[in-house]
């Protein structure tokens, strides 16, 4: 009774006036409720109470085209090949029982080692796609109504179908609440137990690289809200998880966690010291600062490199000029429990199954571009950024002039640019903060598609008003934005300004040239500028063969810059750092230090420091402020 269950649907179409009867097919099914929906107007009514003792839902329908739907939980275990069974992660009691059966037993026998020898626990690949991608829980409606004050029953058809103008808000209400249950009742409850017993919770979810996490983790950022050590998986080959790294490391920054771990080299098809080192450098440059090696590398010397990297990059605060809003509202709006499309996924669960459909993120609209924008920034233009969760934007951020400030106790970040990636849905509360930032002189960049729906009911107008004022692009009013043509290109973008210096840019077809042109206007003196041509086109998947990337952190008042050349070609470039710095090179491969070739000057009325960066293939180095205290362990 505490095991994972899937939400299933049985339905019948009818032309009224008529009497419609529908029976739940599974004998052991747990009845959730029933909804009658007009297929033309999307009018819906809760008919859950019209179920007979025999299990048949019956009702009279008036004239029109109608659909009667009965929803139920299927408690049957799935075969091991489908990654089925397991605990009901959404239910507080189920997870409490699981903790008592597992974690508590370890503590009962090994309590003397907790917090000393045993410092962390680690989990591997729990997920909500384990039961055909439709994990649900018996107490969902009850808990939802307790929080929101109304029954969600009439929203259930949106899990499968378009229900008209309320579709986006309905899916955000249901999928968003399910993500909350997963993050609170499972991860949050285990993390609280760990904190109470002197250890930290670490581990990683499944399929971090899929563009839409709704079926897998619910919300790949919020799932780490309570987890002391967010984690990410690295499996099969270098480059597979690049887009997933940044979401997870950004979650650590958002929720102010100093550590971020990677389970790495798992099931690598080819392994040698160069591949291991390339992967290590990519991970640490993007914000990972701990490793759990799932496959021993060929060179034990890599352990010392990992130790030095972790020593210098654990904790402190991340520095980046750019924030990219995590588009969870659009992702939730796009997902549905539809009939699965054929899947090319190899191995168990492949083919046209609910499991494969969900594990790959369902059917994704073409305008969801946040991963492409992230890679374009970080690897293509060599501009670091932080994904910002919309709830963190509204709850932890403030506007300070033309700066958007993430007000964490340790990881306090100041952003000069906020990017709103493509998608049709945005939280109205987030829209309000974006508008405040723009009105104060901030820069907002929208890409591919601007939102027109709110994640909340009856607040679409607030989102559309923000889009109109910030970007000067509206469905209802004459366009007030100006068109800018990219020189020597056939592409253009839209620019909008206000009296306070705020700028709104809309890039309908973003690429490295248009994004670079806009960023050059918005942030002329960057925190870190690598004076080298953009890396383009970007290689993805198994074609990836390394890149030049960087990370800037501040620990104990000391600037720490980490540059990693994971490519097979040498690097000899100039790097311009904002501010005046006395720098030394710290070599993580040898442990040696030497003076940096640095020159101070000015640019746009700001002090800058120019450094020559020389890196052989698959090598990295630190540039560290010399006039501060040594970073504490």
């Amino acid at each position: 009774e505490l095991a994972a269950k899937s939400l299933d649907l049985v339905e019948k179409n009818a032309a009224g006036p008529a009497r419609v009867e529908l029976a739940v097919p599974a004998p052991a099914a747990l009845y959730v409720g029933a909804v009658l929906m007009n297929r033309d107007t999307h009018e819906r009514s809760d008919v859950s109470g019209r179920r007979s003792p025999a299990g048949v839902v019956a009702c009279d329908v008036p004239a029109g085209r109608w659909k009667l739907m009965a929803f139920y939980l299927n408690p049957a275990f799935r075969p091991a090949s489908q990654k089925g069974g397991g605990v009901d992660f959404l239910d507080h009691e189920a997870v409490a029982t699981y903790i008592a059966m597992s974690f508590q037993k370890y503590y009962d026998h090994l309590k003397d080692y907790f917090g000393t020898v045993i410092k962390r626990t680690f989990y591997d690949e729990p997920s909500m796609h384990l039961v055909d991608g439709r994990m649900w829980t018996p107490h969902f409606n009850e808990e939802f109504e307790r929080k929101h004050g109304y029954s969600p029953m009439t929203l259930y058809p949106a899990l499968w179908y378009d229900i008209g103008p309320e579709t986006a808000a309905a899916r955000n209400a249901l999928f968003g609440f399910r993500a909350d249950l997963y993050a609170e009742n499972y991860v949050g409850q285990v993390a609280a137990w760990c904190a109470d017993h002197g250890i930290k919770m670490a581990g990683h979810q499944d399929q971090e690289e899929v563009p839409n996490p709704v079926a897998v983790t619910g919300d790949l950022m919020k799932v780490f809200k309570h987890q002391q050590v967010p984690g990410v998986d690295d499996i099969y080959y270098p480059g597979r998880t690049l887009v997933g790294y940044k979401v997870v490391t950004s979650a650590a920054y958002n929720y102010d966690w100093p550590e971020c771990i990677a389970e790495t080299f798992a099931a690598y098809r080819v392994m040698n010291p160069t591949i291991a080192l390339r992967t290590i450098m990519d991970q640490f440059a993007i914000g990972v600062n701990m490793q759990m090696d799932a496959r021993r590398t060929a060179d034990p010397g890599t352990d010392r490199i990992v130790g030095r990297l972790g020593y210098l990059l654990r904790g402190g605060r991340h520095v980046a000029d750019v924030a990219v809003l995590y588009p969870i509202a659009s992702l939730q709006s796009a997902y549905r429990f539809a009939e699965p499309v054929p899947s090319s996924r190899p191995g168990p669960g492949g083919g046209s199954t609910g499991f494969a459909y969900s594990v790959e993120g369902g059917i994704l609209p073409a305008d969801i571009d946040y991963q492409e924008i992230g890679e374009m920034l970080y690897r293509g233009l060599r501009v670091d950024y932080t994904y910002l969760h919309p709830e963190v934007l509204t709850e932890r951020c403030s506007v300070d002039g033309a700066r958007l400030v993430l007000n964490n106790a340790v990881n306090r970040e100041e952003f000069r640019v906020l990017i709103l990636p493509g998608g049709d849905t945005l939280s109205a509360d987030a829209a309000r903060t974006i508008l405040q930032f723009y009105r104060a002189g901030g820069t907002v960049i929208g890409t591919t598609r601007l939102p027109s729906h709110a994640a909340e009911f009856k607040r679409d107008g607030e989102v559309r008003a923000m889009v109109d004022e910030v970007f000067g692009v509206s469905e209802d009013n004459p366009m007030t934005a100006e068109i800018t043509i990219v020189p020597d290109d056939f592409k253009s973008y839209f620019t909008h300004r206000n009296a306070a210096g705020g700028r709104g840019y809309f890039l309908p077809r973003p690429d490295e040239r248009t994004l670079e042109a806009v960023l050059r206007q918005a942030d002329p003196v960057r925190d870190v500028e690598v004076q080298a041509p953009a890396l383009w086109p970007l290689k993805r998947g198994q074609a990836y063969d390394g890149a030049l990337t960087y990370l800037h952190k501040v620990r104990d008042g000391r600037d720490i810059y980490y540059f990693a050349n994971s490519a097979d070609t040498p690097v000899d470039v100039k790097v311009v750092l904002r501010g005046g710095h006395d720098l030394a090179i710290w070599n993580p491969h040898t442990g040696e230090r030497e003076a940096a070739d640095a020159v101070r000057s000015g640019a746009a009325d700001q002090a800058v420091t120019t450094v020559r960066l020389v890196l052989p293939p698959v090598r990295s180095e630190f540039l560290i402020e010399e006039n501060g205290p040594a970073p504490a362990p």
Side-chain angles (χ1 to χ4, degrees):
E1 64 271 19
L2 300 180
K5 303 165 185 68
S6 66
L7 179 66
D8 288 346
L9 163 69
V10 60
E11 60 182 23
K12 181 180 289 186
N13 292 335
R19 178 77 172 173
V20 186
E21 295 184 351
L22 189 60
V24 174
L30 304 175
Y31 179 64
V32 174
V35 176
L36 181 66
M37 181 174 74
N38 186 296
R39 290 187 284 152
D40 296 314
T41 66
H42 302 110
E43 172 192 348
R44 304 178 306 281
S45 57
D46 183 353
V47 294
S48 303
R50 300 183 189 181
R51 180 172 180 253
S52 70
V56 177
V57 179
C59 58
D60 295 317
V61 300
R65 302 194 315 152
W66 298 87
K67 183 184 289 290
L68 178 60
M69 292 168 277
F71 303 90
Y72 62 97
L73 300 184
N74 190 339
F77 281 101
R78 291 332 190 240
S81 63
Q82 298 290 311
K83 287 193 170 183
V87 68
D88 180 353
F89 293 122
L90 309 179
D91 182 73
H92 188 276
E93 179 189 356
V95 175
T97 303
Y98 158 68
I99 291 173
M101 294 170 64
S102 55
F103 290 82
Q104 188 61 44
K105 298 299 182 186
Y106 283 103
Y107 184 77
D108 292 343
H109 291 280
L110 300 168
K111 64 179 68 177
D112 292 342
Y113 302 99
F114 270 58
T116 54
V117 175
I118 300 172
K119 297 182 179 181
R120 299 172 188 85
T121 182
F122 193 95
Y123 66 81
D124 183 81
E125 298 183 0
S127 171
M128 289 191 287
H129 69 64
L130 301 184
V131 279
D132 283 352
R134 299 187 301 276
M135 184 178 287
W136 217 253
T137 188
H139 302 296
F140 186 95
N141 287 10
E142 175 188 345
E143 296 294 329
F144 185 99
E145 188 165 1
R146 181 179 294 118
K147 177 178 180 180
H148 295 287
Y150 66 92
S151 169
M153 200 63 242
T154 58
L155 306 181
Y156 271 59
L159 295 171
W160 272 267
Y161 296 105
D162 187 312
I163 62 169
E166 290 187 326
T167 302
R171 289 178 179 169
N172 269 273
L174 293 171
F175 286 130
F177 187 67
R178 189 177 71 145
D180 287 344
L181 292 178
Y182 187 64
E184 299 291 334
N185 287 342
Y186 170 50
V187 180
Q189 195 173 177
V190 174
W193 185 94
C194 289
D196 290 343
H197 292 78
I199 62 174
K200 298 178 181 180
M201 183 186 189
H204 73 85
Q205 299 288 315
D206 197 15
Q207 295 293 109
E208 296 99 338
E209 65 282 346
V210 299
N212 196 336
V214 170
V216 185
T217 61
D219 183 330
L220 187 55
M221 289 193 72
K222 189 189 288 187
V223 76
F224 297 115
K225 181 177 181 179
H226 302 292
Q227 183 172 316
Q228 295 91 348
V229 188
V232 64
D233 195 15
D234 169 62
I235 194 168
Y236 298 139
Y237 52 84
R240 181 178 182 271
T241 320
L242 292 179
V243 292
Y245 290 150
K246 196 60 172 175
V247 177
V248 176
T249 59
S250 292
Y253 300 147
N254 274 232
Y255 300 114
D256 216 6
W257 299 122
E259 299 174 336
C260 187
I261 195 168
E263 178 190 343
T264 192
F265 312 134
Y268 259 40
R269 296 163 183 170
V270 179
M271 172 55 70
N272 58 50
T274 299
I275 289 175
L277 192 54
R278 172 178 290 130
T279 303
I280 289 165
M281 294 192 313
D282 280 341
Q283 287 178 359
F284 280 81
I286 210 166
V288 169
N289 50 41
M290 300 175 67
Q291 280 194 331
M292 190 182 81
D293 190 345
R295 173 177 175 176
R296 298 307 303 161
T297 61
D299 180 11
T302 57
D303 288 347
R304 283 195 174 275
I305 297 171
V306 169
R308 292 178 182 122
L309 295 177
Y311 171 77
L312 288 172
L313 296 178
R314 210 167 295 162
R317 64 179 179 89
H318 177 234
V319 182
D321 290 341
V322 178
V324 178
L325 193 71
Y326 187 56
I328 188 61
S330 290
L331 297 172
Q332 290 174 163
S333 174
Y335 194 78
R336 65 187 188 273
F337 293 153
E339 283 298 316
V341 295
S343 168
S344 60
R345 185 177 188 273
S352 297
T353 68
F355 171 81
Y357 169 82
S358 61
V359 82
E360 292 177 351
I363 304 169
L364 195 73
D367 50 47
I368 298 293
D369 64 359
Y370 75 102
Q371 290 187 346
E372 288 72 21
I373 294 298
E375 282 296 280
M376 199 182 298
L377 283 168
Y378 186 68
R379 243 165 282 278
L381 300 178
R382 303 181 185 92
V383 174
D384 196 10
Y385 68 96
T386 299
Y387 281 121
L388 200 58
H389 194 281
E391 289 186 6
V392 172
L393 172 67
T394 59
E395 296 171 4
R396 296 191 181 208
C397 291
S398 61
V399 174
D400 184 4
R403 301 287 186 271
L404 182 65
V405 182
L406 173 58
N407 293 300
N408 282 334
V410 177
N411 188 63
R412 184 183 186 275
E413 300 196 45
E414 293 189 6
F415 305 112
R416 301 180 175 214
V417 177
L418 175 64
I419 295 180
L420 183 61
D424 67 353
T425 308
L426 176 68
S427 159
D429 292 335
R432 185 188 298 120
T433 303
I434 293 170
L435 186 57
Q436 181 187 2
F437 177 52
Y438 171 75
R439 287 174 174 174
T443 296
V444 185
I445 302 173
T447 62
T448 307
R449 179 175 180 176
L450 297 172
S452 56
H453 301 295
E456 304 88 352
F457 290 103
K458 300 180 180 179
R459 298 183 69 182
D460 290 358
E462 297 175 54
V463 172
R464 292 171 183 171
M466 180 277 291
V467 169
D468 187 14
E469 182 172 341
V470 173
F471 299 103
V473 179
S474 171
E475 297 177 357
D476 305 318
N477 300 317
M479 182 181 294
T480 57
E482 299 174 350
I483 297 176
T484 304
I485 306 296
V486 180
D488 302 321
D489 204 339
F490 295 101
K491 293 185 178 180
S492 60
Y493 59 88
F494 300 94
T495 305
H496 198 233
R497 295 178 175 87
N498 64 20
R503 300 183 186 187
Y505 298 94
F506 176 47
L507 283 55
R509 294 182 295 164
D511 63 8
E512 84 285 0
R513 293 192 66 185
T514 55
L515 190 57
E516 166 67 14
V518 167
L519 286 174
R520 186 62 61 189
Q521 298 174 51
D523 192 19
V525 181
R526 295 175 179 170
D527 177 57
V528 176
E529 180 175 352
V530 178
Q531 295 188 333
L535 179 62
W536 201 261
L538 293 174
K539 296 181 180 180
R540 300 281 292 268
Q542 297 187 58
Y544 175 72
D545 56 1
L548 174 61
T549 54
Y550 76 90
L551 177 69
H552 178 195
K553 301 194 82 171
V554 176
R555 279 185 55 190
D556 304 317
R558 175 178 284 201
D559 286 285
I560 299 175
Y561 301 89
Y562 177 60
F563 293 91
N565 174 30
S566 62
D568 293 324
T569 54
V571 165
D572 187 347
V573 298
K574 288 185 177 180
V575 175
V576 181
L577 309 175
R578 190 166 57 228
H581 302 281
D582 295 320
L583 300 167
I585 297 171
W586 291 25
N587 188 327
H589 303 268
T590 65
E592 298 174 348
R593 308 185 203 183
E594 60 180 293
D597 183 6
V599 177
R600 293 191 183 193
S601 61
D605 299 324
Q606 296 187 62
V608 296
T609 303
T610 303
V611 184
R612 183 184 177 196
L613 181 69
V614 180
L615 290 173
V618 198
R619 283 296 182 271
S620 64
E621 69 179 33
F622 287 96
L623 293 175
I624 294 186
E625 192 80 42
E626 283 287 271
N627 57 2

